[in-house]
Amino acid sequence: ADRAWRNAIAYDSGCLEEQTQAAFLACEAACEALWILAFNSPANHAAILRTRAIDVLASIVTARDMLGLSTPPRAAMWAAAALQNLAASYCDGVCRWQWERGEAGRLTIVGGGGLTVDSDEARRRIAAQPGLVDSLVRYACEGPVPKVDGGGAPWPSKADVDSRDRPSVVPWAAAGALKNLALSTASAQPILNSRDAAGCLCRLSRSGDWLESSKASAALYFLQPRAVGRVDGGFECEARPLGETPPRTRDEL
């Protein structure tokens, strides 16, 4: 699912026939490995960024929307989750971020030590991937899960390997990637420009599943101060009726 393959499909739809279940299973395993290897490891994080991993992971997330490929949800989930961890900054563990009073647009780290992995450049590269933020928003908009776990829409926090074809396993990971992209001004901008991101993240933040609600709530926290004064209420859920995504013009962004 690399960029060369993506370009080939644009000119020859027959390339799609070469994608097999075995290939997707291998893809899922590789994405899951990248997800955990990137977490809180300066050496692994740097090594992954030296490869074309961002291009590959982005092409997996965007393949459904840009190419019409029937990407297994589990593949999209682990690809988005890997992008989430590559976009995260680490403080010898998870950083705790807070908006600094009187400094609009400035996030600071509270408690503990400083950065051990600064992912600002990774976030810039991820946000620049064609169609990626739009696809992440679309996946996030497919949540939240039903109030009761089970049936055809398993909660992601309770999903297992048999849930690989269940679309409900993807929105939490998409929201997690958006959450970490929102840490930097440049990578947050495509999310701020999205017509649907605010409403979908608000809905997801009210999920009964902690994975969906925690990722979406953190994304909203990082985004809202950047959108203060917007006529649509920005990313302030209390100003937005549940389920509503008001239209707005480019001048209002």
Side-chain angles (χ1 to χ4, degrees), residues 44-178:
N44 286 348
H45 194 277
I48 293 169
L49 291 183
R50 286 195 294 269
T51 71
R52 296 180 57 239
I54 288 176
D55 291 348
V56 174
L57 292 168
S59 69
I60 296 166
V61 174
T62 60
R64 183 192 68 170
D65 297 326
M66 294 184 69
L67 304 173
L69 186 64
S70 297
T71 310
R74 190 170 185 269
M77 180 196 77
W78 282 125
L83 289 168
Q84 169 192 235
N85 282 2
L86 286 169
S89 292
Y90 298 96
C91 302
D92 196 22
V94 176
C95 298
R96 293 178 55 218
W97 298 93
Q98 177 177 294
W99 282 103
E100 188 172 298
R101 291 186 177 181
E103 293 286 343
R106 181 177 178 185
L107 278 165
T108 58
I109 298 168
V110 295
L115 287 172
T116 53
V117 176
D118 183 352
S119 292
D120 188 71
E121 173 62 16
R123 288 190 285 271
R124 185 192 65 79
R125 288 169 54 186
I126 292 169
Q129 290 291 317
L132 177 59
V133 169
D134 287 342
S135 287
L136 289 171
V137 169
R138 288 191 186 100
Y139 274 121
C141 287
E142 292 170 11
V145 291
K147 295 294 184 184
V148 178
D149 182 31
W155 284 13
S157 64
K158 300 180 181 180
D160 56 27
V161 292
D162 294 328
S163 306
R164 70 180 299 267
D165 293 319
R166 306 300 190 185
S168 62
V169 303
V170 186
W172 77 270
L178 293 171

